[in-house]
Amino acid sequence: MYCEKELSYHKIFCKLQTVISLKKLSEYLGIQIFLNGPHSKYYLELNDQYQFGHYNPEFPKKIRNLFLPAKTQPKFLQLTKPIYEIWFKQTARDFFIVYQKLDSNPKFFRKESDRYLMLVEESRLDPYYLDRFILFLYPAYTDNEDPEEAAKFSIFSGDEKMDSQIVKELVGFWIRRKADGTDSEFILGLVDLIKLYDPEFYELRTSLKDNPTKN
C-alpha cells in the first residue's frame, strides 16, 4: 500500500525493494549500484534537492545480461508474460516513448542534461525544475518562441496522452542518465525487454522512426 502513492517507475522500484533490497541486489551483482549521490545501500532517497544517484555503468550491463532469462528460455517467457503485461508493460512503454523523443534531438538532450548537472553541482536546482517538461510530449512543445531557434523533435501521434506528471519524471530520469553516462546501457536493456515481451509495440515505434513528423 505504501508504494501506491509513488509515480511511474518509482512505484515499481518501491515494490521491487519489498522483494530484494538495494544492499542484497548489490551483493548479488558484486558491484556498487551507485557511485555517488544521496542513495544509501538500503533505500533510494528521491527527495534530495541538490543531489541525484549516479549509477555505476556496470549496473545496467549486469541487469541486462543476468535478468532476462526469457531470451533463451521460451517456457519462462510464457510464464512471465502475464506478469509483464500487468506490472511492467505500460511503464516500459512510457520510458521508451520519452527516450525516443529526447533522442530524436541529441543536441537538445545533451544541452538539457548539461544544464541539469550544472544546477545540481552548484546547488541551484529549483525543486520544481522538471515542471518545465510537463508538456514535453505535446506536438507544440518548444524551448524557444523563435521558430528558427526552437528545438525540433520526432512526433508520434497520441504520445501527448501520457500523464504529464509521469512525463516530467521520465524526462528527469533520462536527463540524469545522460548526465551520469549510463543512458546508452539503460536504453539497450529497455529495448531488449520490450523486443522480448512487447515486440509489436517496438516494431511500430521503430518503423515510424524513419519518417517522423516534425514540429
Side-chain angles (χ1 to χ4, degrees):
M1 293 297 292
Y2 171 80
C3 296
E4 291 304 316
K5 69 181 182 63
E6 301 287 355
L7 281 176
S8 185
Y9 67 98
H10 293 155
K11 182 179 295 185
I12 291 178
F13 281 3
C14 180
K15 290 182 177 180
L16 287 176
Q17 287 183 82
T18 67
V19 179
I20 182 169
S21 68
L22 290 177
K23 183 175 183 292
K24 289 295 184 182
L25 179 59
S26 178
E27 291 173 354
Y28 176 75
L29 296 176
I31 59 169
Q32 288 181 274
I33 295 175
F34 298 99
L35 297 182
N36 56 65
H39 307 316
S40 77
K41 62 183 178 180
Y42 296 103
Y43 67 93
L44 298 176
E45 174 53 68
L46 303 176
N47 298 312
D48 194 292
Q49 186 174 345
Y50 299 122
Q51 297 184 76
F52 68 90
H54 292 246
Y55 278 96
N56 182 341
E58 292 301 311
F59 174 67
K61 292 180 184 177
K62 291 266 190 178
I63 293 295
R64 184 184 178 205
N65 292 332
L66 295 177
F67 289 170
L68 282 178
K71 290 173 70 174
T72 57
Q73 299 178 31
K75 288 186 178 180
F76 187 80
L77 174 60
Q78 184 179 3
L79 286 170
T80 54
K81 187 73 179 288
I83 298 172
Y84 177 85
E85 292 284 330
I86 295 171
W87 295 106
F88 297 101
K89 182 172 77 171
Q90 191 56 57
T91 297
R93 287 183 172 189
D94 291 347
F95 265 98
F96 187 85
I97 288 168
V98 171
Y99 179 87
Q100 195 172 32
K101 185 165 185 178
L102 284 167
D103 191 52
S104 72
N105 191 324
K107 183 178 179 181
F108 174 88
F109 197 179
R110 181 79 267 171
K111 180 186 71 174
E112 291 299 327
S113 174
D114 289 345
R115 191 208 311 267
Y116 188 93
L117 186 59
M118 177 191 70
L119 292 173
V120 168
E121 290 177 342
E122 295 178 358
S123 298
R124 294 194 295 117
L125 186 70
D126 186 285
Y128 300 102
Y129 181 79
L130 292 177
D131 284 356
R132 65 205 302 265
F133 299 112
I134 282 176
L135 300 179
F136 179 67
L137 290 183
Y138 277 70
Y141 175 85
T142 180
D143 61 345
N144 196 309
E145 293 182 359
D146 184 346
E148 296 299 320
E149 298 293 329
K152 307 296 191 298
F153 303 94
S154 298
I155 296 171
F156 296 84
S157 177
D159 284 356
E160 69 276 7
K161 295 177 183 178
M162 189 187 302
D163 183 278
S164 60
Q165 296 300 310
I166 291 176
V167 172
K168 75 172 188 178
E169 292 291 338
L170 295 183
V171 171
F173 174 87
W174 285 120
I175 284 176
R176 290 190 291 272
R177 299 297 69 79
K178 177 69 75 174
D180 69 18
T182 60
D183 58 305
S184 295
E185 288 298 333
F186 271 105
I187 193 60
L188 286 173
L190 179 61
V191 166
D192 277 355
L193 179 71
I194 292 175
K195 287 172 72 174
L196 187 62
Y197 285 96
D198 200 1
E200 295 84 3
F201 169 78
Y202 180 77
E203 289 171 10
L204 174 63
R205 299 293 300 197
T206 52
S207 67
L208 295 173
K209 186 176 180 182
D210 292 332
N211 296 288
T213 302
K214 295 287 187 176
N215 66 346

